[in-house]
Amino acid sequence: MKKILLTTDFSDNAWNAIFTALKLFANEKCEFTILHAYEPSMLNLLDNKSQKRLGVIYDSLSQYSEQEMQEVLNYLETNHHNPNHSVNSVSKAATLTEAIEEETQEKDMDLLIMGTQGATGAKEVFMGSNTVKAIKTVKNIPILTVPSAYNFQRLKDIVFATDFMQQYEKHGLQPLTDLAKLWDANVKIAHVAVSFALNDIQKKNKSVLEQRLKGLKHEFVEVPFTTSISNALDTYVDTIDDGILSIIRHHHTFWQKVIGEPVIKKIAFHSNIPVLFLPEHI
């Protein structure tokens, strides 16, 4: 049984991610845990009187969280009952990333699914994104991000963006291959580059990747580099229907060092389709 962690702040954005998860894994046995975190860290910075006052606020937050979560569970039981699925909830007084790390470690989660709310221009600079923080902070678990306006119906294509510069371990690719098998989806390995001539390391890694995908529908696609990697991927992804994008998380450090582009952050903010960020230990 697959164990999937879903985060919520009870917004429409979070609801959309939950609905996407339920539909994406409708035909697979899953245990879903819905997590809401509220942050109490300010208490440590205050005097006793202020702590008591703020403590009342956090008691209220706890009650609000439990109440809202029960409404979520009731709604799902009534409107989205699926014999393949069990759903439970957790409310935690912690930062979201702390709560996620605790849950993923304690319960050995297979996948984290979060909603994303896009941002542009100045908002991108000043707005803290819980999703981006989680992608950067939470290790060793795949993260699927779902844009707020995305309406999932089916999965036909998985675009796996890579430059063949890393090794591909079977376990690291499993979240991608599992989805491809579940939906009989076509895996499109997208190589974004100015020149597509491969060195010996890239050729070897590409050959290993092909072995990892054996038995799945897959094809290699050359995507010309335009103004940025993220823009090139956006342009290519716009040509496919019913797809998700997948990328290896740790590789953003390489791209950022070479061309100064924060690829992971850009994709997390701007992608119009779900993005599967594969764990760093791939």
Side-chain angles (χ1 to χ4, degrees), residues 115-247:
T116 55
Q117 184 70 52
T120 57
K123 283 185 181 179
E124 205 173 88
V125 177
F126 296 108
M127 187 186 78
S129 167
N130 281 324
T131 305
V132 171
K133 288 177 186 175
I135 292 168
K136 290 182 176 180
T137 305
V138 180
K139 309 294 184 184
N140 299 329
I141 184 172
I143 300 177
L144 181 70
T145 61
V146 182
S148 56
Y150 186 76
N151 181 19
F152 178 83
Q153 297 298 323
R154 58 180 178 172
L155 180 60
K156 287 173 58 180
D157 294 304
I158 301 173
V159 178
F160 178 44
T162 185
D163 62 2
F164 309 115
M165 286 301 293
Q166 63 283 310
Q167 297 179 350
Y168 304 102
E169 299 296 335
K170 186 182 294 185
H171 179 70
L173 287 173
Q174 190 171 346
L176 185 155
T177 56
D178 283 353
L179 277 176
K181 290 174 185 175
L182 185 62
W183 286 88
D184 191 29
N186 184 35
V187 181
K188 297 176 181 285
I189 303 98
H191 180 200
V192 180
V194 176
S195 170
F196 297 103
L198 304 182
N199 61 33
D200 289 342
I201 293 175
Q202 288 174 305
K203 289 176 182 177
K204 180 181 178 181
N205 290 334
K206 181 180 179 181
S207 178
V208 170
L209 179 58
E210 191 151 27
Q211 284 298 114
R212 300 288 186 225
L213 299 176
K214 192 173 182 179
L216 299 174
K217 295 186 295 186
H218 65 278
E219 60 182 297
F220 291 91
V221 181
E222 295 177 345
V223 179
F225 180 88
T226 51
T227 55
S228 69
I229 292 171
S230 52
N231 283 346
L233 285 172
D234 282 344
T235 300
Y236 175 68
V237 164
D238 283 344
T239 67
I240 68 169
D241 296 317
D242 302 315
I244 67 172
L245 175 64
S246 184
I247 194 168

Side-chain angles (χ1 to χ4, degrees), residues 2-278:
K2 193 177 291 293
K3 295 182 179 180
I4 298 176
L5 182 64
L6 304 165
T7 62
T8 185
D9 57 2
F10 311 116
S11 65
D12 290 344
N13 184 31
W15 269 112
N16 190 51
I18 292 172
F19 293 148
T20 298
L22 296 175
K23 290 187 285 186
L24 184 61
F25 293 100
N27 296 318
E28 183 161 353
K29 288 193 176 298
C30 296
E31 178 185 337
F32 293 100
T33 298
I34 303 176
L35 170 68
H36 178 244
Y38 50 96
E39 188 174 348
S41 58
M42 285 176 59
L43 282 172
N44 300 325
L45 304 176
L46 304 174
D47 58 35
N48 287 337
K49 187 175 181 180
S50 297
Q51 279 192 19
K52 288 179 182 178
R53 191 179 302 120
L54 198 56
V56 173
I57 295 174
Y58 277 115
D59 286 342
S60 175
L61 285 175
S62 174
Q63 292 171 8
Y64 168 77
S65 180
E66 295 288 351
Q67 178 183 321
E68 289 293 307
M69 196 68 85
Q70 191 56 54
E71 290 186 13
V72 170
L73 295 178
N74 291 342
Y75 178 87
L76 293 178
E77 176 63 26
T78 301
N79 297 284
H80 290 271
H81 181 71
N82 183 333
N84 287 325
H85 296 166
S86 64
V87 183
N88 55 73
S89 65
V90 175
S91 295
K92 286 203 171 189
T95 67
L96 182 59
T97 52
E98 288 170 348
I100 289 171
E101 288 182 318
E102 287 176 12
E103 285 299 302
T104 54
Q105 290 170 11
E106 290 174 10
K107 299 178 181 176
D108 193 25
M109 294 290 181
D110 297 302
L111 179 66
L112 167 64
I113 300 181
M114 306 179 73
T116 55
Q117 184 70 52
T120 57
K123 283 185 181 179
E124 205 173 88
V125 177
F126 296 108
M127 187 186 78
S129 167
N130 281 324
T131 305
V132 171
K133 288 177 186 175
I135 292 168
K136 290 182 176 180
T137 305
V138 180
K139 309 294 184 184
N140 299 329
I141 184 172
I143 300 177
L144 181 70
T145 61
V146 182
S148 56
Y150 186 76
N151 181 19
F152 178 83
Q153 297 298 323
R154 58 180 178 172
L155 180 60
K156 287 173 58 180
D157 294 304
I158 301 173
V159 178
F160 178 44
T162 185
D163 62 2
F164 309 115
M165 286 301 293
Q166 63 283 310
Q167 297 179 350
Y168 304 102
E169 299 296 335
K170 186 182 294 185
H171 179 70
L173 287 173
Q174 190 171 346
L176 185 155
T177 56
D178 283 353
L179 277 176
K181 290 174 185 175
L182 185 62
W183 286 88
D184 191 29
N186 184 35
V187 181
K188 297 176 181 285
I189 303 98
H191 180 200
V192 180
V194 176
S195 170
F196 297 103
L198 304 182
N199 61 33
D200 289 342
I201 293 175
Q202 288 174 305
K203 289 176 182 177
K204 180 181 178 181
N205 290 334
K206 181 180 179 181
S207 178
V208 170
L209 179 58
E210 191 151 27
Q211 284 298 114
R212 300 288 186 225
L213 299 176
K214 192 173 182 179
L216 299 174
K217 295 186 295 186
H218 65 278
E219 60 182 297
F220 291 91
V221 181
E222 295 177 345
V223 179
F225 180 88
T226 51
T227 55
S228 69
I229 292 171
S230 52
N231 283 346
L233 285 172
D234 282 344
T235 300
Y236 175 68
V237 164
D238 283 344
T239 67
I240 68 169
D241 296 317
D242 302 315
I244 67 172
L245 175 64
S246 184
I247 194 168
I248 300 171
R249 257 184 293 174
H250 78 257
H251 202 49
H252 76 278
T253 56
F254 168 79
W255 279 327
Q256 195 152 358
K257 285 177 183 176
V258 173
I259 61 176
E261 181 186 354
V263 174
I264 297 296
K265 182 176 180 181
K266 282 190 175 183
I267 288 174
F269 270 129
H270 297 300
S271 179
N272 293 319
I273 63 173
V275 183
L276 176 63
F277 294 94
L278 296 173

